Structure formats: structure tokens, C-alpha cells
Amino acid sequence: GRCTLVAFCCLQLVAALERQIFDFLGYQWAPILANFLHIMAVILGIFGTVQYRSRYLILYAAWLVLWVGWNAFIICFYLEVGQLSQDRDFIMTFNTSLHRSWWMENGPGCLVTPVLNSRLALEDHHVISVTGCLLDYPYIEALSSALQIFLALFGFVFACYVSKVFLEEEDSFDFIGGFDSYGYQAPQKTSHLQLQPLYTSG
């Protein structure tokens, strides 16, 4: 269980670092912050697994629940589920810029054509036309989030299992008290000296 959990944590770390790079390239500040917290939580999970710290694994498992919720929201956002709209809501950039996902212009097979003299262009911005993409960027972002959810679910299951094993081992043997849980008592020193009365003759 420990080895499997460490393996899943390493996969999560690689996937999070890969995603962090592309989010930096696309100026997606909200995912950047979430990825940073996720990387720290995964490192905490690896440390807790190696050092037999059940509390760290519990914190790691609790974070994975939030991480699954965040990635589910990203999927709904890019697929525009409900009232969410990429053209109106700039949640990923904290409403500080109009940047979109890096995959919008750099997706597989995408051909970017600048639109000159467009009335839709805002100040310091330009309008482009993206055509020929083999897979549109919303689906790439949704697949990336789905992969994160898949790894998080397996990590959550193994984190709960390993933390339970650690807690059972802590209950069976008290690491802090040593042998106190087994009723061990240190031998008491006994004195073999007997005091004899001292008689003096005058």
C-alpha cells in the first residue's frame, strides 16, 4: 500500500507540474494558485507515507476532496455547463485579463490567423482566428482535469487505507512511551546495607 501510494503521488506530482507550466503560459492565475497548493499537498502526502505520519495522510486525503471539486468545476467551466460562459466569465484570470487557455492557439493542428483592423479588438489586444484544430482547447482542458480527478480518486483510496494501517500500528505499540503500553516497569533499586547500632564503652 505504501509503495502504491508513493507511485500515485509521483504521478500526481508530474501531472500537476505539467499542468502548471501550461497554465503559466496561458496566464491562468486561478489554476496556477490551485496547482501550487496541490503540489504542496502531494509532497506532504509523500512525506507522510515515507515517515509513517498518519496525520499528514489525512490532510492529504482531505485536500484531494477539494481538488476533485475544483477539477469538476473546471470541466463544467470549459464545457460551459449551466450558466457558465468563457466569453463572459474570466474566472481563471481573476478578471484581470482576457487571456484564454494556452491550448487555444497552440492546440494540435491549430492554425492561427490575425484579424487586422477588427472593431472587436480592445486596447492593447488583437483579434485572431483559430481554425483546423484536431481537438478544441475546451476538450483538452476537460481531459486534463479528468486525469487529475482519476489520479485523485485512487490517491484518496490508498491514502485512507495507508493511514488506517498506520493508526492501527500506533495503537498496538506506543512509539512515544516505548514499553509503557505493555506494563513495563523499571526495576527498583533495593538497598542491601543494614544499619547496625554502634556501642561505645567509656
Side-chain angles (χ1 to χ4, degrees), residues 57-83:
L57 289 179
I58 294 174
L59 292 176
Y60 165 71
W63 164 256
L64 289 182
V65 176
L66 300 177
W67 184 244
V68 169
W70 167 251
N71 282 277
F73 169 76
I74 292 180
I75 294 175
C76 295
F77 176 78
Y78 280 105
L79 298 183
E80 296 186 344
V81 177
Q83 300 296 325

mmCIF file of all heavy atoms in Angstrom, residues 57-83:
data_model
loop_
_atom_site.group_PDB
_atom_site.id
_atom_site.type_symbol
_atom_site.label_atom_id
_atom_site.label_comp_id
_atom_site.label_asym_id
_atom_site.label_seq_id
_atom_site.Cartn_x
_atom_site.Cartn_y
_atom_site.Cartn_z
ATOM 1 N N LEU A 57 -1.208 12.176 6.064
ATOM 2 C CA LEU A 57 -2.007 11.476 5.055
ATOM 3 C C LEU A 57 -3.476 11.878 5.140
ATOM 4 O O LEU A 57 -4.164 11.963 4.116
ATOM 5 C CB LEU A 57 -1.861 9.965 5.234
ATOM 6 C CG LEU A 57 -0.505 9.370 4.848
ATOM 7 C CD1 LEU A 57 -0.500 7.870 5.097
ATOM 8 C CD2 LEU A 57 -0.176 9.665 3.393
ATOM 9 N N ILE A 58 -3.959 12.131 6.343
ATOM 10 C CA ILE A 58 -5.344 12.580 6.499
ATOM 11 C C ILE A 58 -5.523 13.968 5.874
ATOM 12 O O ILE A 58 -6.526 14.230 5.188
ATOM 13 C CB ILE A 58 -5.738 12.575 7.982
ATOM 14 C CG1 ILE A 58 -5.760 11.138 8.523
ATOM 15 C CG2 ILE A 58 -7.094 13.242 8.187
ATOM 16 C CD1 ILE A 58 -6.002 11.041 10.015
ATOM 17 N N LEU A 59 -4.566 14.864 6.090
ATOM 18 C CA LEU A 59 -4.626 16.181 5.455
ATOM 19 C C LEU A 59 -4.546 16.067 3.942
ATOM 20 O O LEU A 59 -5.259 16.774 3.207
ATOM 21 C CB LEU A 59 -3.484 17.058 5.983
ATOM 22 C CG LEU A 59 -3.565 17.491 7.449
ATOM 23 C CD1 LEU A 59 -2.307 18.262 7.840
ATOM 24 C CD2 LEU A 59 -4.805 18.344 7.686
ATOM 25 N N TYR A 60 -3.693 15.171 3.466
ATOM 26 C CA TYR A 60 -3.569 14.941 2.027
ATOM 27 C C TYR A 60 -4.882 14.422 1.439
ATOM 28 O O TYR A 60 -5.327 14.889 0.378
ATOM 29 C CB TYR A 60 -2.428 13.957 1.778
ATOM 30 C CG TYR A 60 -2.388 13.339 0.408
ATOM 31 C CD1 TYR A 60 -2.036 14.088 -0.704
ATOM 32 C CD2 TYR A 60 -2.699 11.991 0.225
ATOM 33 C CE1 TYR A 60 -2.003 13.519 -1.961
ATOM 34 C CE2 TYR A 60 -2.657 11.416 -1.027
ATOM 35 C CZ TYR A 60 -2.312 12.175 -2.121
ATOM 36 O OH TYR A 60 -2.274 11.604 -3.356
ATOM 37 N N ALA A 61 -5.529 13.489 2.127
ATOM 38 C CA ALA A 61 -6.802 12.953 1.647
ATOM 39 C C ALA A 61 -7.894 14.023 1.657
ATOM 40 O O ALA A 61 -8.732 14.090 0.744
ATOM 41 C CB ALA A 61 -7.223 11.755 2.499
ATOM 42 N N ALA A 62 -7.902 14.874 2.684
ATOM 43 C CA ALA A 62 -8.896 15.953 2.749
ATOM 44 C C ALA A 62 -8.703 16.941 1.600
ATOM 45 O O ALA A 62 -9.675 17.428 1.011
ATOM 46 C CB ALA A 62 -8.799 16.668 4.092
ATOM 47 N N TRP A 63 -7.450 17.237 1.265
ATOM 48 C CA TRP A 63 -7.193 18.137 0.148
ATOM 49 C C TRP A 63 -7.664 17.525 -1.166
ATOM 50 O O TRP A 63 -8.174 18.239 -2.048
ATOM 51 C CB TRP A 63 -5.711 18.490 0.061
ATOM 52 C CG TRP A 63 -5.361 19.086 -1.262
ATOM 53 C CD1 TRP A 63 -4.715 18.487 -2.298
ATOM 54 C CD2 TRP A 63 -5.681 20.416 -1.698
ATOM 55 N NE1 TRP A 63 -4.604 19.354 -3.355
ATOM 56 C CE2 TRP A 63 -5.185 20.539 -3.018
ATOM 57 C CE3 TRP A 63 -6.330 21.495 -1.117
ATOM 58 C CZ2 TRP A 63 -5.328 21.717 -3.754
ATOM 59 C CZ3 TRP A 63 -6.469 22.665 -1.847
ATOM 60 C CH2 TRP A 63 -5.974 22.770 -3.142
ATOM 61 N N LEU A 64 -7.507 16.210 -1.330
ATOM 62 C CA LEU A 64 -7.918 15.564 -2.572
ATOM 63 C C LEU A 64 -9.414 15.721 -2.819
ATOM 64 O O LEU A 64 -9.854 15.799 -3.969
ATOM 65 C CB LEU A 64 -7.535 14.083 -2.554
ATOM 66 C CG LEU A 64 -6.041 13.768 -2.659
ATOM 67 C CD1 LEU A 64 -5.812 12.270 -2.667
ATOM 68 C CD2 LEU A 64 -5.425 14.398 -3.900
ATOM 69 N N VAL A 65 -10.202 15.778 -1.753
ATOM 70 C CA VAL A 65 -11.638 16.013 -1.919
ATOM 71 C C VAL A 65 -11.881 17.390 -2.540
ATOM 72 O O VAL A 65 -12.678 17.539 -3.483
ATOM 73 C CB VAL A 65 -12.354 15.881 -0.562
ATOM 74 C CG1 VAL A 65 -13.839 16.228 -0.699
ATOM 75 C CG2 VAL A 65 -12.199 14.463 -0.021
ATOM 76 N N LEU A 66 -11.171 18.400 -2.027
ATOM 77 C CA LEU A 66 -11.291 19.745 -2.601
ATOM 78 C C LEU A 66 -10.751 19.780 -4.029
ATOM 79 O O LEU A 66 -11.303 20.477 -4.897
ATOM 80 C CB LEU A 66 -10.536 20.750 -1.726
ATOM 81 C CG LEU A 66 -11.006 20.883 -0.276
ATOM 82 C CD1 LEU A 66 -10.110 21.858 0.478
ATOM 83 C CD2 LEU A 66 -12.456 21.335 -0.227
ATOM 84 N N TRP A 67 -9.687 19.034 -4.273
ATOM 85 C CA TRP A 67 -9.077 19.007 -5.598
ATOM 86 C C TRP A 67 -10.021 18.401 -6.642
ATOM 87 O O TRP A 67 -10.097 18.877 -7.781
ATOM 88 C CB TRP A 67 -7.768 18.229 -5.539
ATOM 89 C CG TRP A 67 -6.983 18.183 -6.804
ATOM 90 C CD1 TRP A 67 -6.696 17.080 -7.542
ATOM 91 C CD2 TRP A 67 -6.360 19.284 -7.479
ATOM 92 N NE1 TRP A 67 -5.941 17.409 -8.645
ATOM 93 C CE2 TRP A 67 -5.721 18.760 -8.625
ATOM 94 C CE3 TRP A 67 -6.293 20.648 -7.231
ATOM 95 C CZ2 TRP A 67 -5.010 19.565 -9.508
ATOM 96 C CZ3 TRP A 67 -5.589 21.459 -8.111
ATOM 97 C CH2 TRP A 67 -4.961 20.920 -9.241
ATOM 98 N N VAL A 68 -10.741 17.366 -6.260
ATOM 99 C CA VAL A 68 -11.725 16.771 -7.164
ATOM 100 C C VAL A 68 -12.833 17.772 -7.484
ATOM 101 O O VAL A 68 -13.258 17.914 -8.640
ATOM 102 C CB VAL A 68 -12.305 15.480 -6.552
ATOM 103 C CG1 VAL A 68 -13.514 14.996 -7.339
ATOM 104 C CG2 VAL A 68 -11.250 14.386 -6.517
ATOM 105 N N GLY A 69 -13.295 18.488 -6.465
ATOM 106 C CA GLY A 69 -14.318 19.502 -6.692
ATOM 107 C C GLY A 69 -13.851 20.620 -7.610
ATOM 108 O O GLY A 69 -14.601 21.079 -8.480
ATOM 109 N N TRP A 70 -12.602 21.062 -7.429
ATOM 110 C CA TRP A 70 -12.051 22.120 -8.278
ATOM 111 C C TRP A 70 -11.962 21.671 -9.729
ATOM 112 O O TRP A 70 -12.318 22.414 -10.656
ATOM 113 C CB TRP A 70 -10.702 22.556 -7.753
ATOM 114 C CG TRP A 70 -9.911 23.410 -8.698
ATOM 115 C CD1 TRP A 70 -8.795 23.055 -9.384
ATOM 116 C CD2 TRP A 70 -10.192 24.769 -9.072
ATOM 117 N NE1 TRP A 70 -8.354 24.092 -10.165
ATOM 118 C CE2 TRP A 70 -9.187 25.157 -9.997
ATOM 119 C CE3 TRP A 70 -11.173 25.682 -8.736
ATOM 120 C CZ2 TRP A 70 -9.153 26.428 -10.569
ATOM 121 C CZ3 TRP A 70 -11.149 26.958 -9.308
ATOM 122 C CH2 TRP A 70 -10.155 27.310 -10.201
ATOM 123 N N ASN A 71 -11.482 20.470 -9.965
ATOM 124 C CA ASN A 71 -11.352 19.977 -11.338
ATOM 125 C C ASN A 71 -12.707 19.718 -11.983
ATOM 126 O O ASN A 71 -12.861 19.889 -13.192
ATOM 127 C CB ASN A 71 -10.503 18.707 -11.354
ATOM 128 C CG ASN A 71 -9.023 18.993 -11.234
ATOM 129 O OD1 ASN A 71 -8.342 19.298 -12.205
ATOM 130 N ND2 ASN A 71 -8.508 18.907 -10.018
ATOM 131 N N ALA A 72 -13.683 19.312 -11.176
ATOM 132 C CA ALA A 72 -15.037 19.167 -11.704
ATOM 133 C C ALA A 72 -15.582 20.524 -12.146
ATOM 134 O O ALA A 72 -16.261 20.628 -13.186
ATOM 135 C CB ALA A 72 -15.941 18.538 -10.652
ATOM 136 N N PHE A 73 -15.265 21.572 -11.382
ATOM 137 C CA PHE A 73 -15.685 22.912 -11.777
ATOM 138 C C PHE A 73 -15.006 23.339 -13.080
ATOM 139 O O PHE A 73 -15.640 23.970 -13.944
ATOM 140 C CB PHE A 73 -15.363 23.912 -10.667
ATOM 141 C CG PHE A 73 -15.520 25.343 -11.087
ATOM 142 C CD1 PHE A 73 -16.775 25.915 -11.209
ATOM 143 C CD2 PHE A 73 -14.398 26.124 -11.373
ATOM 144 C CE1 PHE A 73 -16.921 27.244 -11.615
ATOM 145 C CE2 PHE A 73 -14.541 27.443 -11.772
ATOM 146 C CZ PHE A 73 -15.800 28.003 -11.894
ATOM 147 N N ILE A 74 -13.714 23.023 -13.245
ATOM 148 C CA ILE A 74 -13.009 23.384 -14.473
ATOM 149 C C ILE A 74 -13.648 22.705 -15.681
ATOM 150 O O ILE A 74 -13.813 23.315 -16.750
ATOM 151 C CB ILE A 74 -11.513 23.014 -14.356
ATOM 152 C CG1 ILE A 74 -10.821 23.905 -13.324
ATOM 153 C CG2 ILE A 74 -10.820 23.133 -15.712
ATOM 154 C CD1 ILE A 74 -9.352 23.597 -13.154
ATOM 155 N N ILE A 75 -14.012 21.433 -15.520
ATOM 156 C CA ILE A 75 -14.677 20.728 -16.618
ATOM 157 C C ILE A 75 -15.986 21.416 -16.983
ATOM 158 O O ILE A 75 -16.287 21.653 -18.164
ATOM 159 C CB ILE A 75 -14.916 19.255 -16.236
ATOM 160 C CG1 ILE A 75 -13.581 18.516 -16.097
ATOM 161 C CG2 ILE A 75 -15.788 18.559 -17.276
ATOM 162 C CD1 ILE A 75 -13.715 17.090 -15.608
ATOM 163 N N CYS A 76 -16.775 21.762 -15.975
ATOM 164 C CA CYS A 76 -18.054 22.450 -16.232
ATOM 165 C C CYS A 76 -17.823 23.824 -16.852
ATOM 166 O O CYS A 76 -18.604 24.264 -17.712
ATOM 167 C CB CYS A 76 -18.840 22.575 -14.928
ATOM 168 S SG CYS A 76 -19.374 21.007 -14.212
ATOM 169 N N PHE A 77 -16.747 24.506 -16.446
ATOM 170 C CA PHE A 77 -16.478 25.843 -16.973
ATOM 171 C C PHE A 77 -16.121 25.798 -18.452
ATOM 172 O O PHE A 77 -16.676 26.561 -19.266
ATOM 173 C CB PHE A 77 -15.355 26.498 -16.171
ATOM 174 C CG PHE A 77 -14.936 27.839 -16.695
ATOM 175 C CD1 PHE A 77 -15.702 28.967 -16.431
ATOM 176 C CD2 PHE A 77 -13.782 27.980 -17.460
ATOM 177 C CE1 PHE A 77 -15.316 30.208 -16.918
ATOM 178 C CE2 PHE A 77 -13.403 29.212 -17.954
ATOM 179 C CZ PHE A 77 -14.169 30.335 -17.690
ATOM 180 N N TYR A 78 -15.187 24.920 -18.818
ATOM 181 C CA TYR A 78 -14.755 24.890 -20.217
ATOM 182 C C TYR A 78 -15.803 24.278 -21.138
ATOM 183 O O TYR A 78 -15.838 24.598 -22.336
ATOM 184 C CB TYR A 78 -13.438 24.135 -20.340
ATOM 185 C CG TYR A 78 -12.246 24.972 -19.968
ATOM 186 C CD1 TYR A 78 -11.576 24.785 -18.761
ATOM 187 C CD2 TYR A 78 -11.785 25.983 -20.810
ATOM 188 C CE1 TYR A 78 -10.490 25.567 -18.409
ATOM 189 C CE2 TYR A 78 -10.708 26.777 -20.476
ATOM 190 C CZ TYR A 78 -10.061 26.558 -19.271
ATOM 191 O OH TYR A 78 -8.985 27.347 -18.927
ATOM 192 N N LEU A 79 -16.643 23.401 -20.618
ATOM 193 C CA LEU A 79 -17.731 22.855 -21.431
ATOM 194 C C LEU A 79 -18.990 23.710 -21.337
ATOM 195 O O LEU A 79 -20.014 23.357 -21.944
ATOM 196 C CB LEU A 79 -18.034 21.419 -20.989
ATOM 197 C CG LEU A 79 -16.885 20.414 -21.160
ATOM 198 C CD1 LEU A 79 -17.333 19.021 -20.747
ATOM 199 C CD2 LEU A 79 -16.364 20.407 -22.601
ATOM 200 N N GLU A 80 -18.902 24.814 -20.568
ATOM 201 C CA GLU A 80 -19.980 25.793 -20.438
ATOM 202 C C GLU A 80 -21.283 25.126 -19.997
ATOM 203 O O GLU A 80 -22.330 25.261 -20.632
ATOM 204 C CB GLU A 80 -20.174 26.559 -21.744
ATOM 205 C CG GLU A 80 -18.951 27.397 -22.125
ATOM 206 C CD GLU A 80 -19.181 28.263 -23.332
ATOM 207 O OE1 GLU A 80 -20.164 28.000 -24.071
ATOM 208 O OE2 GLU A 80 -18.399 29.213 -23.554
ATOM 209 N N VAL A 81 -21.176 24.413 -18.880
ATOM 210 C CA VAL A 81 -22.354 23.768 -18.304
ATOM 211 C C VAL A 81 -23.165 24.805 -17.527
ATOM 212 O O VAL A 81 -22.605 25.603 -16.778
ATOM 213 C CB VAL A 81 -21.940 22.605 -17.384
ATOM 214 C CG1 VAL A 81 -23.159 21.977 -16.731
ATOM 215 C CG2 VAL A 81 -21.174 21.560 -18.186
ATOM 216 N N GLY A 82 -24.458 24.778 -17.694
ATOM 217 C CA GLY A 82 -25.310 25.715 -16.976
ATOM 218 C C GLY A 82 -25.142 27.148 -17.472
ATOM 219 O O GLY A 82 -25.164 27.433 -18.669
ATOM 220 N N GLN A 83 -24.928 28.053 -16.526
ATOM 221 C CA GLN A 83 -24.806 29.476 -16.852
ATOM 222 C C GLN A 83 -23.361 29.922 -17.062
ATOM 223 O O GLN A 83 -23.108 31.114 -17.262
ATOM 224 C CB GLN A 83 -25.430 30.320 -15.722
ATOM 225 C CG GLN A 83 -26.897 30.051 -15.470
ATOM 226 C CD GLN A 83 -27.766 30.412 -16.664
ATOM 227 O OE1 GLN A 83 -27.506 31.375 -17.383
ATOM 228 N NE2 GLN A 83 -28.810 29.621 -16.884
#
